[in-house]
Amino acid sequence: MSSVLTDLLRHPIVQAPMAGGVSVPQLAAAVSEAGGLGFLAAGYKTADGMYQEIKQLRGLTARPFGVNVFMPQSDQADPAAVEVYAEQLAGEAAWYKTELGDPDSGRDDGYDAKLAVLLDNPVPVVSFHFGIPAPSVLDSLRRAGTLTLVTVTTAEEALAVQEAGADAVIAQGVEAGGHQGTHRDSAENDGSGIGLLSLVAQVREAVRIPIVAAGGLMRGSQIAGVIAAGASAAQLGTAFLATPESGAHPLHKQALTDPLFVRTELTRAFSGRPARGLVNRFMREHGPYAPAAYPEIHHLTSPLRKAAAKEGDPQGMALWAGQGHRMARDLPAGRLVEVLAAELREAVTALSTRGAGR
């Protein structure tokens, strides 16, 4: 592994930052304490909310951890398309006895305020999703002692990240659960995602900086595979979503291995941006008609998703999950890190033995 990551990790295992209340301090602390890298998700939180979670996490572990920040989004949404989609969701609002959210509730997710907090109170690692920070931002974080990572979905995006001055990239394959971290969202590119192993290989040839591989990883043998392909570490989200420390709704955790939810798809139904989740009624009925409009659709559907969760109805919830969701294990987060590390060692030993026997 590259020394830039080796200094932080006992095991090449990163817990993905899952926004929406999943990546709570207890989860991040358990992963970091076990030798991985735990992450907080600042997405959809206020700057103060993020700061309070950082304080809580620091009270739980002295080990390195990371914070993930969403990049501000450009105003590309068609207001007319958003209005039409809102009309289509009127029946959902009536069913769940709630109002639709305001699609114009904000586009920057408190980006500047969060950066100010992270520069005043530096954390070991900061990652960015949905785009690349300005080189000056990356330089300021570096001078504050913070390692910076940026999610990419193509080799071209990875090259732009390297040129901007980030320390590493997170190569996110199309198998990943939750939102794809594409830098420029366009409906024309829907369905053109790259599988993780191909992506890691392409990114490895394009850039010199370290790669963290993400997308559908659930076992230590898979971690061995992406490291062999050129990654320095692996980022897992769905695998940690099922742990007791995860802040995911119990119905979300149960759905990962429920035979009722047999597959995942990329959809714009809940947020207006491509995100992979378990196929449920809401996705089937509304996915084909959802416009490319993030975060407008996210704000619009937020009350519906909350109402569905309150009613105990997984068919109306955003059940984000990667393609490996059926392999989820109900283990404490720290124990899961240990099991993954043991599986990784076993896979590496097996590969070495086979190589020596040739």
Side-chain angles (χ1 to χ4, degrees):
M1 284 206 309
S2 165
S3 61
V4 74
L5 292 173
T6 305
D7 291 344
L8 299 180
L9 301 171
R10 191 159 69 244
H11 306 300
I13 297 168
V14 179
Q15 166 244 315
M18 296 168 279
V22 178
S23 296
V24 293
Q26 292 81 1
L27 174 60
V31 172
S32 290
E33 281 290 299
L37 183 67
F39 251 95
L40 295 175
Y44 311 135
K45 292 184 174 70
T46 64
D48 183 63
M50 178 192 74
Y51 175 64
Q52 295 303 324
E53 287 205 345
I54 292 172
K55 283 180 60 179
Q56 186 179 354
L57 177 53
R58 281 180 165 143
L60 296 172
T61 183
R63 297 282 305 165
F65 63 90
V67 175
N68 176 253
V69 177
F70 286 172
M71 292 297 298
Q73 300 299 290
S74 59
D75 188 5
Q76 297 179 332
D78 179 358
V82 174
E83 185 176 346
V84 169
Y85 193 57
E87 292 172 357
Q88 293 174 344
L89 295 179
E92 297 282 351
W95 175 258
Y96 289 116
K97 299 178 181 177
T98 188
E99 299 290 330
L100 294 174
D102 178 6
D104 299 317
S105 295
R107 306 194 58 78
D108 68 355
D109 200 47
Y111 179 74
D112 290 336
K114 289 172 184 175
L115 282 181
V117 170
L118 293 169
L119 288 170
D120 287 342
N121 302 271
V123 299
V125 181
V126 171
S127 67
F128 296 90
H129 209 58
F130 299 148
I132 310 173
S136 59
V137 169
L138 295 171
D139 185 57
S140 294
L141 287 167
R142 182 179 300 105
R143 284 187 278 108
T146 296
L147 185 75
T148 55
L149 295 81
V150 180
T151 302
V152 303
T153 59
T154 66
E156 292 76 16
E157 290 177 350
L159 188 58
V161 168
Q162 177 176 272
E163 292 174 349
D167 295 301
V169 295
I170 301 168
Q172 184 193 40
V174 72
E175 305 95 330
H179 285 91
Q180 291 284 296
T182 49
H183 295 182
R184 292 182 179 84
D185 182 30
S186 172
E188 296 176 357
N189 295 327
D190 285 2
S192 63
I194 304 172
L196 180 58
L197 283 176
S198 293
L199 179 62
V200 169
Q202 292 174 33
V203 172
R204 182 70 288 154
E205 292 192 0
V207 301
R208 301 179 304 277
I209 57 178
I211 301 168
V212 177
L217 304 174
M218 303 292 287
R219 296 288 187 266
S221 57
Q222 293 174 297
I223 297 173
V226 295
I227 290 177
S232 295
Q235 178 174 280
L236 293 77
T238 305
F240 287 104
L241 191 150
T243 64
E245 294 90 344
S246 156
H249 193 286
L251 289 175
H252 193 169
K253 296 182 181 184
Q254 294 167 15
L256 295 175
T257 53
D258 188 335
L260 183 65
F261 301 100
V262 298
R263 60 190 176 90
T264 65
E265 282 185 6
L266 286 170
T267 185
R268 295 180 182 270
F270 296 102
S271 72
R273 230 183 192 274
R276 183 173 296 282
L278 300 173
V279 177
N280 60 4
R281 177 194 60 78
F282 194 102
M283 190 187 296
R284 287 192 297 268
E285 293 183 1
H286 302 293
Y289 312 104
Y294 177 88
E296 287 86 352
I297 302 305
H298 164 77
H299 295 314
L300 189 71
T301 66
S302 179
L304 299 177
R305 290 178 275 122
K306 291 177 181 176
K310 186 176 180 181
E311 291 292 324
D313 180 12
Q315 295 296 337
M317 297 167 58
L319 303 172
W320 303 137
Q323 288 184 341
H325 66 95
R326 298 302 293 273
M327 301 168 72
R329 297 180 278 202
D330 184 13
L331 293 173
R335 176 59 182 154
L336 179 57
V337 171
E338 294 171 355
V339 170
L340 289 167
E343 291 172 345
L344 170 59
R345 289 192 297 270
E346 182 179 345
V348 171
T349 299
L351 287 172
S352 300
T353 301
R354 291 173 193 165
R358 290 176 181 171

